[in-house]
Amino acid sequence: MGAAFRELNSALQLYRESAHTEDIGRALLVQVGELAQIAGWIASDAGQHGQAERAYRIGIAAARQAGDTTLVGNLAGSLAYQFSNTGQERAGVDLARAALDEAGPDAPPKTRALFFDRLAWAHTRAGEAQPAVRALGEAHDALSESTEDAAPPWAYWVSREELEVMDARVFTELHRPLRAVPLLTDVLSRYDATHAREVALYRSWLAIALADANEPEQAAEEARRVVSLSSKVTSERTAERSRIVLRRLQDFQQVPEIRDLLHDHGHLLSA
């Protein structure tokens, strides 16, 4: 995390203390915004939410000054995502909508898909099912218009597969396991297993969806995978998802597989 913030501070210092043309100044501001995105994401994943918010706000200001409204949308949407996940659900909805609006209808389709996905998650966390599902549809519609040449490099990871993951996460949070389980099962069957952090997160939602579907034995199996994968990565986010899964499965303590799971890993709940 320290390295990312050093890079961000160096870029800020270069912009503030060097003489440069207007074009170079704009390029430096865009670089500040992109570095702020990386630093904010790393800090947020580590549970350092105050540092993450400061980084995102520095990036928003820099991208706005550079006139890069799509980058503003990415940074503001990332901060909205953090708000949604840290008990500030209404602020998450408002900022996710503002990010989409500021990026505007002319933003590259792939980025609009990302911004709609974040809005869907914000509505989900706020308990607003219909707007959430509507935003998911708008994300898929936007991605269907996408051409790779139009997308900024930082949007490289946005794909149909990633949208399907968000679909499944939304349906899991809305307690619609019949929609969530097939989606997650299909995505995980195709997902690169070397991406341990992402696989741990996706399996955590699958475990919850299986519990909601009254399949505690399968949920226990997925939970073990989540805990195992989480132990191999440095991420407060995956650690918290492990705790969420274990807490959810406490409702099934009469099931032998769940009892064994909690016997082996219940100590994580007090971590």
Side-chain angles (χ1 to χ4, degrees):
M1 187 168 72
F5 277 89
R6 284 193 295 275
E7 290 288 331
L8 174 58
N9 290 333
S10 294
L12 277 168
Q13 184 176 8
L14 179 62
Y15 174 76
R16 290 167 176 167
E17 297 181 4
S18 65
H20 41 67
T21 65
E22 183 176 342
D23 286 346
I24 291 176
R26 182 182 182 279
L28 287 171
L29 286 168
V30 169
Q31 184 181 38
V32 167
E34 292 178 350
L35 287 169
Q37 171 69 33
I38 294 169
W41 185 91
I42 292 172
S44 189
D45 191 59
Q48 301 298 318
H49 300 127
Q51 286 194 40
E53 181 172 349
R54 284 192 292 275
Y56 287 140
R57 291 196 183 280
I58 287 169
I60 289 168
R64 193 170 279 149
Q65 189 174 341
D68 191 334
T69 55
T70 303
L71 183 56
V72 173
N74 189 33
L75 286 150
S78 296
L79 181 54
Y81 186 75
Q82 176 174 289
F83 284 163
S84 295
N85 291 330
T86 55
Q88 302 176 73
E89 292 85 359
R90 180 45 49 191
V93 171
D94 292 343
L95 188 54
R97 170 54 66 184
L100 185 62
D101 290 345
E102 183 155 0
D106 294 329
K110 184 179 276 192
T111 63
R112 287 192 291 110
L114 172 60
F115 302 157
F116 274 119
D117 242 21
R118 287 174 175 160
L119 180 62
W121 184 246
H123 280 303
T124 300
R125 296 290 292 172
E128 299 167 350
Q130 289 186 342
V133 173
R134 186 162 56 247
L136 289 179
E138 290 172 310
H140 283 276
D141 289 346
L143 190 65
S144 69
E145 305 168 12
S146 179
T147 58
E148 289 298 323
D149 292 343
W154 48 259
Y156 70 93
W157 59 274
V158 180
S159 64
R160 182 177 64 84
E161 189 173 68
E162 293 295 340
L163 294 194
E164 288 173 348
V165 169
M166 181 59 83
D167 293 348
R169 289 174 58 193
V170 167
F171 291 132
T172 299
E173 289 286 318
L174 296 177
H175 303 291
R176 300 182 184 179
L178 295 181
R179 299 287 299 274
V181 170
L183 278 170
L184 283 166
T185 301
D186 181 53
V187 168
L188 284 163
S189 72
R190 295 180 278 116
Y191 207 82
D192 187 344
T194 63
H195 296 174
R197 176 189 175 276
E198 286 72 23
V199 172
L201 291 172
Y202 301 165
R203 288 198 179 280
S204 75
W205 278 290
L206 179 55
I208 296 290
L210 286 166
D212 286 347
N214 199 31
E215 295 289 350
E217 295 85 359
Q218 286 182 262
E221 182 179 343
E222 289 300 330
R224 285 191 179 277
R225 291 173 175 168
V226 172
V227 172
S228 176
L229 288 165
S230 296
S231 70
K232 298 172 184 176
V233 296
T234 304
S235 169
E236 174 56 27
R237 183 116 185 277
T238 60
E240 175 59 18
R241 287 299 304 174
S242 295
R243 292 190 287 270
I244 288 170
V245 170
L246 291 172
R247 282 195 291 269
R248 174 67 180 89
L249 295 185
Q250 286 180 314
D251 293 344
F252 297 92
Q253 293 190 53
Q254 75 280 8
V255 177
E257 289 84 352
I258 300 295
R259 278 202 308 271
D260 292 345
L261 171 73
L262 294 173
H263 176 269
D264 294 340
H265 301 295
H267 64 279
L268 296 174
L269 291 171
S270 58

